[in-house]
Amino acid sequence: MFTGIVECKGRVVEFKSLDNTESGGSGASLTIADAKDILGDCHLGDSIAINGTCLTVTEFSSDEFKVGLAPETLSRTNLGQLQPGDHVNLERALAAGHRFGGHFVQGHIDTTAEIVEITPDANSIWYKLRVADKKLMPYIIPKGFIALDGTSLTVCDVNDDDQ
């Protein structure tokens, strides 16, 4: 579980579509740097959200970590399209017994969305999104929430005609 409040931004070092190392598991992997702020208490097997996607740490140092990417993850996210140097949002999993802000975000991704409009409104910003999988629209409701690249956002309006 996550809060949808980004702790820091990391930088993509490498995406491998086939990583035959022990920590790569003979599948796809992603290595992230500039993550020192969230790795101080890291252990192998911990969950870290990269752009909101819950992933398992398979290798780490003081500043970098690697995660495996399952075929399902690659099919439902844009993580396989990331390039070295791209920045990503990072968040550690919730710790039991601690306060948290935000929402309960699982990190299990259903679809991607395209930002079609950004409108400043006093001290807030409205994002108009178009979800890739229209079958999910009945589950997006006003005053509910969604996560966009790991940032939890409250849904203010849903227009099924303008998906």
Side-chain angles (χ1 to χ4, degrees):
M1 281 300 211
F2 302 90
T3 64
I5 298 175
V6 175
E7 291 187 76
C8 68
K9 292 186 85 64
R11 179 179 43 83
V12 174
V13 173
E14 181 177 40
F15 167 77
K16 282 188 174 181
S17 58
L18 180 59
D19 186 342
N20 286 317
T21 66
E22 185 175 339
S23 61
S26 298
S29 70
L30 188 61
T31 302
I32 305 296
D34 299 336
K36 179 180 177 181
D37 291 347
I38 64 165
L39 294 176
D41 59 352
C42 187
H43 299 89
L44 287 178
D46 280 359
S47 294
I48 295 179
I50 299 177
N51 282 353
T53 305
C54 178
L55 298 164
T56 302
V57 175
T58 60
E59 181 180 317
F60 70 97
S61 67
S62 63
D63 187 59
E64 289 186 1
F65 68 98
K66 182 194 281 189
V67 295
L69 300 173
E72 175 75 0
T73 301
L74 293 171
S75 73
R76 292 189 180 264
T77 71
N78 68 351
L79 296 180
Q81 299 165 19
L82 295 173
Q83 300 292 315
D86 286 350
H87 288 95
V88 292
N89 294 331
L90 303 175
E91 181 186 356
R92 291 173 288 189
L94 285 171
H98 290 39
R99 290 188 76 197
F100 71 93
H103 302 113
F104 281 121
V105 177
Q106 290 183 323
H108 301 165
I109 309 304
D110 293 310
T111 191
T112 58
E114 174 189 0
I115 300 172
V116 294
E117 189 176 313
I118 300 173
T119 306
D121 183 16
N123 66 343
S124 66
I125 300 172
W126 286 70
Y127 288 88
K128 184 176 183 180
L129 307 173
R130 182 175 297 122
V131 298
D133 186 348
K134 307 298 185 225
K135 293 182 291 191
L136 295 172
M137 289 303 293
Y139 305 104
I140 302 173
I141 59 170
K143 306 305 178 221
F145 64 91
I146 60 168
L148 181 63
D149 281 341
T151 302
S152 181
L153 303 170
T154 301
V155 175
C156 294
D157 190 23
V158 177
N159 185 342
D160 290 328
D161 297 327
D162 191 22
Q163 299 179 17

